[in-house]
């Protein structure tokens, strides 16, 4: 038994990080995840992915997976019995079972790290108006949102989640430093970056970045990161100030 609870992400086991996608559109995967960084990691066997066609678990002649909502209302709802059979068919279930939904816990970098530290995920991708609540309750499914907007289905949201997690797996990103200075890693948005040419359309790259003076460059970057965060994301800025206060009190 895995002892899985709604909030746990499971213990790390041997083998690659594994994602199982339950979907009505398995042909959507790996999609963009078969390219670039995630695609190379997939080829290298750092992570693996398989899909389950939910429709294969319908039992009637028409292979029905949905029905009208009790109480009335628009759209169709995915049936709990069909979804549960699809879920039960996943023998090597790794980590938590997630359901991509705008009602869920919002995905952020911290949650992505938790998932990357675990053995993998099983993700239920809904279509239509949603899925019957009982299967979510009965199987301790964790609802996850990728933001406050509505997509037409969970597949794209699942792709976003996997992309975010996979790039954090050991061996996926060549230069580990490039992860540690990114937006959200430090608690601040990332400072602006520049490359050649040093002058473009009358716009110069800030002098300090061309000075070779590492301490001054570090200071400049820190100041710009703070300024950007204060201007654009008051929520992150407040959290960062609070964190600074705690760190200072601790010393
Ligand atoms: N399905 C539809 N909209 C979604 C969202 N914002 N996040 C996750 N899953 C979704």
């Amino acid at each position: 038994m895995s002892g899985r609870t709604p909030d746990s992400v499971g213990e790390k086991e041997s083998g690659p990080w594994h994602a199982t996608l339950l979907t009505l559109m398995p042909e959507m995967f790996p999609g963009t995840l078969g390219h670039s960084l995630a695609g190379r990691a997939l080829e290298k066997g750092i992570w693996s992915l398989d899909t389950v066609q939910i429709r294969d678990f319908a039992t009637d002649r028409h292979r029905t997976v949905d029905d009208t909502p009790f109480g009335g209302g628009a759209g169709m709802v995915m049936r709990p019995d069909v979804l549960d059979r699809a879920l039960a068919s996943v023998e090597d279930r790794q980590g938590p079972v997630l359901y991509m939904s705008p009602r869920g816990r919002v995905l952020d970098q911290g949650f992505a790290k938790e998932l990357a530290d675990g053995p993998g995920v099983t993700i239920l991708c809904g279509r239509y108006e949603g899925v019957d609540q009982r299967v979510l309750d009965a199987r301790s499914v964790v609802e996850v949102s990728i933001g406050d907007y509505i997509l037409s289905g969970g597949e794209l949201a699942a792709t976003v989640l996997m992309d975010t997690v996979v790039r954090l797996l050991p061996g996926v990103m060549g230069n580990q430093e490039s992860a540690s200075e990114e937006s959200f890693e430090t608690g601040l948005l990332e400072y602006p970056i520049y490359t050649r040419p040093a002058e473009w359309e009358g716009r110069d790259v800030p002098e300090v970045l061309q000075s070779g003076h590492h301490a001054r460059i570090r200071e400049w970057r820190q100041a710009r990161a703070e300024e950007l965060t204060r201007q654009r994301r008051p929520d992150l800025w407040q959290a960062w100030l609070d964190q600074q206060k705690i760190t200072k009190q601790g010393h």
Side-chain angles (χ1 to χ4, degrees):
M1 282 297 290
S2 66
R4 187 163 44 79
T5 66
D7 289 319
S8 80
V9 291
E11 295 301 312
K12 190 89 182 162
E13 285 161 27
S14 56
W17 192 86
H18 186 74
T20 304
L21 281 302
L22 286 82
T23 170
L24 290 169
M25 272 157 293
E27 61 280 5
M28 279 189 165
F29 300 100
T32 61
L33 299 173
H35 301 267
S36 188
L37 205 68
R40 283 195 294 277
L42 194 56
E43 270 170 26
K44 279 201 237 165
I46 295 175
W47 72 293
S48 58
L49 171 143
D50 58 21
T51 56
V52 172
Q53 168 55 275
I54 295 169
R55 201 172 292 285
D56 290 346
F57 296 88
T59 49
D60 66 325
R61 215 158 51 86
H62 301 291
R63 306 221 294 160
T64 311
V65 295
D66 59 340
D67 211 325
T68 52
F70 276 112
M76 301 292 271
V77 180
M78 292 177 82
R79 291 172 56 118
D81 52 347
V82 177
L83 289 173
D84 192 45
R85 280 193 294 273
L87 204 50
S89 78
V90 184
E91 279 167 7
D92 58 342
R93 208 182 299 164
Q94 309 276 348
V97 180
L98 310 180
Y99 168 54
M100 304 312 299
S101 148
R103 293 191 317 200
R105 168 182 177 179
V106 178
L107 177 68
D108 62 12
Q109 201 63 19
F111 189 20
K113 274 191 193 155
E114 274 178 51
L115 293 171
D117 285 340
V121 284
T122 299
I123 309 179
L124 181 55
C125 302
R127 280 271 143 184
Y128 316 115
E129 289 309 297
V131 307
D132 188 289
Q133 183 64 37
R134 290 167 296 178
V135 72
L136 303 180
D137 296 341
R139 302 293 174 250
S140 302
V141 177
V142 181
E143 291 186 59
V144 182
S145 167
I146 63 161
D148 293 343
Y149 41 82
I150 313 294
L151 301 166
S152 52
E155 287 79 5
L156 198 51
T159 301
V160 169
L161 180 142
M162 288 188 287
D163 184 86
T164 307
V165 172
V166 164
R167 62 193 290 286
L168 296 173
L169 299 174
V172 174
M173 252 188 300
N175 181 0
Q176 285 303 321
E177 241 183 306
S178 72
S180 63
E181 295 216 345
E182 277 170 353
S183 295
F184 311 118
E185 289 295 329
T186 58
L188 295 172
L189 298 180
E190 196 180 27
Y191 47 78
I193 54 172
Y194 303 86
T195 185
R196 270 174 280 279
E199 193 244 298
W200 177 73
E201 291 195 350
R203 295 164 187 266
D204 292 325
V205 169
E207 187 63 43
V208 58
L209 299 179
Q210 302 178 64
S211 70
H213 196 300
H214 297 299
R216 277 183 49 216
I217 292 171
R218 231 185 347 266
E219 249 172 61
W220 182 89
R221 286 179 165 167
Q222 180 67 21
R224 295 292 78 72
E226 291 179 19
E227 186 179 64
L228 271 179
T229 310
R230 186 163 43 77
Q231 287 169 350
R232 294 186 184 176
R233 292 291 300 273
D235 56 329
L236 290 181
W237 178 242
Q238 193 53 52
W240 191 78
L241 290 177
D242 294 345
Q243 188 54 45
Q244 295 297 105
K245 225 180 286 169
I246 293 165
T247 311
K248 279 199 189 114
Q249 278 164 3
H251 288 289

